[in-house]
Amino acid sequence: MMRWAVLCAALCASPVHADVGPLPGADIFVLGEVHDNPTHHATQAGIVAQVQPKALVFEMLTAAQAAAAMTVDRTDAAAVATATGWVDSGWPDFAMYAPIFAAAPGATIVGAAVPRDNMLRAMKEGAAAVSTSPVPPLTDAQLAVLSQEQAEAHCGALPPEMLPGMVEAQRLRDADFAGATLSAFDATGGPVVLITGTGHARTDVGVPAALRLARPDLKVWSLGQIEGAAEADAPFDAVAVTGVTDRPDPCATFTQ
């Protein structure tokens, strides 16, 4: 109890909420991130501490990893990292994610990770053929935007004919993350927080769009966390702009 009291005092006193504005009384909070940006995770932890969700959904965890996380002390970072096998997961340092887990010590942990085989199927057959959750339709303009984002994310190295399949894999993840979040809401009564990449937090084509399609009765609030600068019409309910994390050039391997 003492460890949680100290943690809560630190997180709840954080100025993060001044950056995103007052939080609404939402059923579901979709909190985006750039995965290796520690400031983004601190922001998420502060919001989770304030919301105190009944369920905390992670795109980074499988169902088995989430179940393992439920068996250990949420405020013991080493125990959570060990239980989930985080070091072998391919995600950034668990030290950045640990405060998020600790900020909701009583929440049900849910894993929303999409199996690789399902993503490969979606690339060939389309997200709607694979997901058991509703997949929002795309306009031609939205498809063009998502295709360009995939091209940029892969440093322009993908053949153009691969881009539609990559977009479908992204859409599958949006739909499945929404499905896992809705299942968590139905099981717990909410509120529910989803921790995910900022691209998935888009209100126009991401998880919030899938949630609206499946359950228009629920109130969803989305936070996009963006490095450097944000467009004036960025598709989020709130935007937090931070500095750029010091990282190696992700495109260096394509230019060597």
Side-chain angles (χ1 to χ4, degrees), residues 11 33-45 58 77 86 91-102 195 245 247:
L11 291 176
E33 65 182 48
V34 173
H35 297 307
D36 64 349
N37 188 311
T39 302
H40 292 189
H41 299 302
T43 298
Q44 291 169 327
F58 288 88
W86 192 276
W91 293 100
D93 191 343
F94 185 74
M96 290 187 283
Y97 287 87
I100 304 171
F101 284 85
I195 302 297
T245 293
R247 61 174 69 88

Side-chain angles (χ1 to χ4, degrees), residues 77-182:
V80 179
T82 299
T84 58
W86 192 276
V87 70
D88 297 317
S89 70
W91 293 100
D93 191 343
F94 185 74
M96 290 187 283
Y97 287 87
I100 304 171
F101 284 85
T108 299
I109 302 297
V110 176
V114 178
R116 184 172 183 272
D117 287 349
N118 287 8
M119 287 195 285
L120 292 175
R121 277 189 59 205
M123 292 176 68
K124 297 178 181 179
E125 304 172 28
V130 180
S131 182
T132 58
S133 299
V135 180
L138 285 182
T139 65
D140 289 343
Q142 289 170 338
L143 175 58
V145 168
L146 292 181
S147 296
Q148 180 61 30
E149 288 180 353
Q150 287 294 330
E152 292 173 357
H154 293 86
C155 304
L158 291 181
E161 60 270 21
M162 285 190 64
L163 295 177
M166 299 299 293
V167 170
E168 288 302 308
Q170 173 88 355
R171 297 179 71 214
L172 172 66
R173 297 177 78 200
D174 289 333
D176 282 8
F177 294 166
T181 302
L182 286 176

